[in-house]
């Protein structure tokens, strides 16, 4: 029986390395013998295909939200040991509307997840958020124990970050998610040849201190090639700089979460086992 920690990887900007981080953090965690459930919440389904799965209708969280499936039925294996997934499909875009209709809609994803958490088979649930401030993103933040923000090492990286930090603060104080934490900030696509990248990392560290992970993910062509083979980079090119960086990030992430991974025990009713 494991205590599962729920992580949302979020930034309302697109192209900042969220999906890449979901896929590669999951892979590097599984290499460390952690069990992971990836939930792809982006209708574009890039995390789904990046983990080697095709899009299939009726397999996303949408069918659970609409009550046509049970969450236990839509968790699938992947080609990678220790990684399970709830895939995305285009239909998921309709979930925005469905969730909006539900009373207490911010709690929808958490109440679905509670049935998985009580079963205690995963060390981590990692949610890939869509790049917009819609209901799917906000309700996944409301469902999370911690949020990892990925940021590209470019000018204006921090622009819009206050949207997420304000949401965290709001959810903590209004009772939606009192224990929600900014788990950390991961700097991605670092180009060591430019002064700009170093300056941006420095600036973010000045503002957020040790919330910023020591590990910085370099811009690495192997990372960008791997998804078209449906592979995390540690499988696609195990000795590449990209693979090394994501291994180092996973180690840092696990270390921050202490020896027992998640210390937070979920409060759920025992009769709701998935
Ligand atoms: P998001 O999910 O935030 O929209 P992605 O993870 O899909 O961002 O990344 C956007 C694009 O950048 C993708 O084509 C991805 O392959 C590429 N990419 C992400 N991280 C890196 C990296 N460290 N080095 C090179 N390319 C990267
Ligand atoms: Mg994405």
């Amino acid at each position: 029986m494991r205590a599962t920690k729920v992580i949302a990887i979020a930034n309302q900007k697109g192209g900042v390395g969220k999906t890449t981080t979901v896929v590669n953090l999951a892979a590097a965690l599984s290499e460390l013998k952690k069990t992971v459930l990836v939930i792809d919440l982006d209708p574009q389904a890039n995390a789904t295909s990046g983990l080697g799965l095709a899009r299939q209708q009726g397999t996303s969280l949408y069918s659970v939200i609409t009550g046509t499936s049970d969450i236990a039925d839509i968790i699938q294996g992947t080609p990678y040991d220790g990684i399970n997934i709830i895939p995305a499909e285009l239909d998921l875009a309709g979930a925005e509307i469905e969730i909006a209709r539900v009373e207490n809609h911010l709690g929808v994803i958490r109440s679905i997840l509670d049935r998985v958490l009580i079963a205690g088979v995963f060390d981590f649930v990692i949610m890939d958020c869509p790049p917009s401030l819609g209901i799917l993103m906000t309700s996944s933040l409301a469902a999370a124990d911690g949020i990892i923000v990925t940021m590209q090492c470019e000018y204006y990286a921090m622009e819009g970050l206050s949207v997420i930090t304000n949401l965290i603060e709001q959810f903590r104080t209004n009772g939606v998610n009192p224990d929600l934490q900014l788990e950390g900030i991961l700097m991605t696509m670092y180009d060591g040849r430019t002064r700009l990248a170093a300056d941006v990392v420095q600036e973010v560290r000045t503002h957020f201190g040790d919330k910023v992970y020591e590990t910085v993910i370099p811009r690495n062509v192997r990372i960008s090639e791997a998804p078209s083979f449906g592979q995390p980079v540690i499988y696609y090119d195990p000795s590449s700089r990209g693979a090394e960086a994501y291994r180092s990030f996973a180690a840092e992430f696990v270390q921050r979460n202490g020896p027992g991974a998640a210390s937070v025990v979920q409060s759920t009713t025992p009769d709701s086992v998935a």
Side-chain angles (χ1 to χ4, degrees):
M1 173 83 194
R2 301 158 193 253
T4 307
K5 181 149 184 178
V6 181
I7 301 289
I9 302 204
N11 188 326
Q12 73 273 26
K13 287 189 200 170
V16 295
K18 290 184 293 295
T19 301
T20 303
T21 297
V22 168
V23 166
N24 291 300
L25 175 61
L29 285 172
S30 73
E31 203 175 46
L32 295 172
K33 304 287 177 247
K34 305 291 181 190
T35 52
V36 182
L37 173 65
V38 169
I39 305 182
D40 190 348
L41 290 170
D42 187 344
Q44 305 236 2
N46 294 334
T48 302
S49 57
L51 284 166
L53 273 84
R55 243 194 217 137
Q56 311 145 41
Q57 198 125 34
T59 56
S60 78
L61 205 67
Y62 181 72
S63 59
V64 183
I65 292 164
T66 55
T68 54
S69 316
D70 189 83
I71 188 160
D73 302 329
I74 58 163
I75 295 176
Q76 300 188 27
T78 69
Y80 307 101
D81 249 5
I83 308 179
N84 286 270
I85 189 168
I86 297 177
E89 49 162 328
L90 280 174
D91 276 9
L92 201 52
E96 295 273 341
I97 298 159
E98 290 295 332
I99 299 180
R101 288 206 190 118
V102 179
E103 209 180 320
N104 178 28
H105 61 251
L106 282 173
V108 165
I109 293 182
R110 185 65 194 209
S111 61
I112 290 172
L113 271 185
D114 273 344
R115 283 179 282 156
V116 172
L117 302 182
I118 193 79
V121 293
F122 298 110
D123 293 304
F124 297 102
V125 171
I126 303 178
M127 298 185 281
D128 190 16
C129 292
S132 62
L133 259 181
I135 289 177
L136 272 175
M137 176 174 158
T138 46
S139 46
S140 62
L141 301 195
D145 300 311
I147 296 170
I148 294 175
V149 174
T150 61
M151 244 185 228
Q152 204 177 339
C153 299
E154 57 162 26
Y155 269 127
Y156 309 121
M158 286 200 300
E159 200 181 66
L161 181 64
S162 60
V163 173
I164 291 183
T165 53
N166 289 343
L167 261 178
I168 294 175
E169 210 37 57
Q170 231 180 327
F171 285 176
R172 285 169 60 89
T173 52
N174 68 9
V176 166
N177 189 349
D179 300 319
L180 182 60
Q181 301 285 343
L182 175 61
E183 176 82 17
I185 297 173
L186 179 67
M187 304 304 296
T188 66
M189 295 180 242
Y190 181 86
D191 183 348
R193 295 165 305 182
T194 68
R195 177 70 197 275
L196 167 68
D199 286 350
V200 171
V201 172
Q202 190 49 55
E203 193 195 353
V204 178
R205 287 199 199 283
T206 303
H207 279 82
F208 290 94
D210 57 14
K211 280 286 176 198
V212 186
Y213 292 101
E214 292 284 333
T215 308
V216 171
I217 308 296
R219 189 173 280 285
N220 175 254
V221 69
R222 303 313 243 173
I223 291 178
S224 58
E225 288 168 356
S228 52
F229 298 90
Q231 291 185 354
V233 71
I234 62 165
Y235 291 95
Y236 175 67
D237 187 348
S239 59
S240 61
R241 286 177 62 225
E244 288 302 331
Y246 271 107
R247 279 198 193 96
S248 146
F249 170 52
E252 194 181 346
F253 171 81
V254 167
Q255 196 189 10
R256 278 198 194 189
N257 279 287
S263 53
V264 190
V265 176
Q266 308 304 332
S267 54
T268 42
T269 45
D271 57 352
S272 61
V273 180

